[in-house]
Amino acid sequence: MTIVISVPPSLDEHSFEQVIEQLAAAPDGSKILLDARHARWASPYGLTALLCVPQARSEPIGFAVPEHPDTVSYWSRAGFFRHAAELYELHGTVPRPREAHESEVLLEITPITKSDDVHGVVGRIQQKAADILHGQLNLDTAVTGAFGMTLSESCQNIVEHAGLGGWVAVQTYNYKQRLGRRVVQIAVCDAGVGFRTSLESAPGHRHKDRWDDAMALEDAVLRAVSRFRHGDAGRGQGLAGIRRFVGRWHGKLTVRSGTARLGIIPEWDEDVPMTEGLPFFPGAQMQIIIPERSADAPARPRSTATATRGRSRF
């Protein structure tokens, strides 16, 4: 019997939890079909996380492609089907593959497996990012260099910690529902070992009184703890730099790993700083949102909000 998992019509970091919940209930080895026929929209997070699903399961997984032509067209421009064809058994009408340079998005979905991939991503996006961040989102020109560094650090985490390749995508869009302004979103997702296992591999690592995925996220994101820290004092600062960048530009950072999700939440969003007890999903899924700068919103001094535990919305 095939277990059909419904993909929500609108797929973002929150609604993707519905996919994870259904996957968690499917015994390993089950025959699975992800049904995206009724999907109408997906964020970069949604699309990159979808590519992690077949990497997280041992059995081949089927994928019913969206039926609406606008959805199929957008997912194709984002490069989704080019990679999905290698991971899923696709069912439905799949558009002709586009070459990467034909994409109209800021950075189409790109695989990250080694450091050379990270350098390639930053190099490809540099000029286009400067035009959009400064020209369209009204951010200071200084943001361009910091944006490239943030993108690089986000991808480098996959190379150093995931133990398995991952995916990155960057796109601008109008965030009407929550913000009423345009944003740029960076999504970096993998189905690797996750933060908890990565930190446990550090030489001399000792479990604290309470050690779980939430504690591992707090150590990595808030305290800059790295599995390399004991042998290299310079390690562990990548996520700290990302956190500073997000705080300076009134942005939002969320990181999901294992059964927990940590967020650096700006004043314009109602999300919670920490969610625990989520259905397990391997690897780490990170999302960074930087909003368009409004006329009455000067750049924030270099400080960030500190995440505290809160109740989950799920």
Side-chain angles (χ1 to χ4, degrees):
M1 182 182 73
T2 300
I3 297 176
V4 179
I5 293 178
S6 299
V7 176
S10 180
L11 191 62
D12 60 15
E13 61 173 329
H14 293 300
S15 60
F16 189 75
E17 293 296 328
Q18 298 173 28
V19 176
I20 297 176
E21 289 174 1
Q22 295 174 80
L23 282 169
D28 198 32
S30 304
K31 188 174 182 181
I32 292 175
L33 172 70
L34 258 66
D35 183 2
R37 289 177 299 163
H38 304 300
R40 293 298 305 271
W41 184 83
S43 68
Y45 180 98
L47 291 179
T48 51
L50 271 181
L51 292 176
C52 293
V53 170
Q55 295 179 310
R57 304 285 299 197
S58 60
E59 68 280 1
I61 296 181
F63 187 88
V65 305
E67 292 179 338
H68 198 284
D70 289 347
T71 307
V72 172
S73 177
Y74 165 65
W75 289 25
S76 180
R77 292 198 304 274
F80 176 78
F81 294 114
R82 185 167 60 251
H83 304 295
E86 300 176 357
L87 298 169
Y88 285 106
E89 296 172 351
L90 297 180
H91 302 276
T93 303
V94 180
R96 181 179 62 85
R98 294 170 178 243
E99 297 296 331
H101 67 270
E102 294 179 6
S103 175
E104 298 169 4
V105 299
L106 186 55
L107 176 71
E108 68 276 12
I109 299 170
T110 301
I112 300 292
T113 59
K114 56 186 184 300
S115 292
D116 287 349
D117 296 334
V118 179
H119 301 321
V121 162
V122 176
R124 283 170 54 193
I125 204 172
Q126 200 165 20
Q127 185 56 51
K128 194 186 296 185
D131 295 342
I132 290 177
L133 296 173
H134 180 58
Q136 298 185 29
L137 300 187
N138 302 317
L139 299 177
D140 293 346
T141 52
V143 73
T144 305
F147 179 84
M149 186 174 298
T150 299
L151 183 62
S152 175
E153 294 287 359
S154 303
C155 297
Q156 193 65 32
N157 275 326
I158 291 178
V159 176
E160 295 188 348
H161 301 286
L164 180 72
W167 310 91
V168 58
V170 183
Q171 186 192 354
T172 60
Y173 57 88
N174 198 341
Y175 206 34
K176 287 183 179 178
Q177 186 176 3
R178 294 189 179 179
L179 189 60
R181 280 184 276 161
R182 287 170 59 80
V183 300
V184 59
Q185 181 184 126
I186 303 172
V188 183
C189 295
D190 70 77
V193 300
F195 279 90
R196 180 179 176 181
T197 301
S198 177
L199 293 180
E200 287 175 351
S201 69
H205 171 80
R206 293 181 178 179
H207 288 353
K208 302 175 181 177
D209 291 341
R210 187 182 70 77
W211 175 247
D212 53 20
D213 290 316
M215 287 293 294
L217 279 175
E218 289 181 352
D219 274 359
V221 179
L222 302 181
R223 305 184 189 100
V225 176
S226 168
R227 69 184 173 100
F228 298 111
R229 196 67 179 274
H230 297 275
D232 185 346
R235 297 299 185 96
Q237 296 303 309
L239 282 168
I242 293 171
R243 207 175 68 241
R244 288 193 295 271
F245 172 80
V246 168
R248 178 168 174 74
W249 300 104
H250 302 264
K252 176 181 178 182
L253 165 68
T254 58
V255 187
R256 190 196 195 285
S257 187
T259 60
R261 177 176 173 274
L262 183 149
I264 305 296
I265 311 300
E267 65 277 5
W268 49 262
D269 196 89
E270 297 179 349
D271 208 344
V272 295
M274 174 64 81
T275 306
E276 300 176 76
L278 295 170
F280 178 79
F281 192 71
Q285 298 80 45
M286 178 188 300
Q287 176 178 262
I288 299 167
I289 296 177
I290 303 298
E292 175 185 7
R293 185 179 177 186
S294 62
D296 57 350
R300 179 181 294 175
R302 293 179 181 278
S303 63
T304 59
T306 300
T308 55
R309 292 173 187 276
R311 296 184 62 184
S312 167
R313 61 182 298 169
F314 300 104

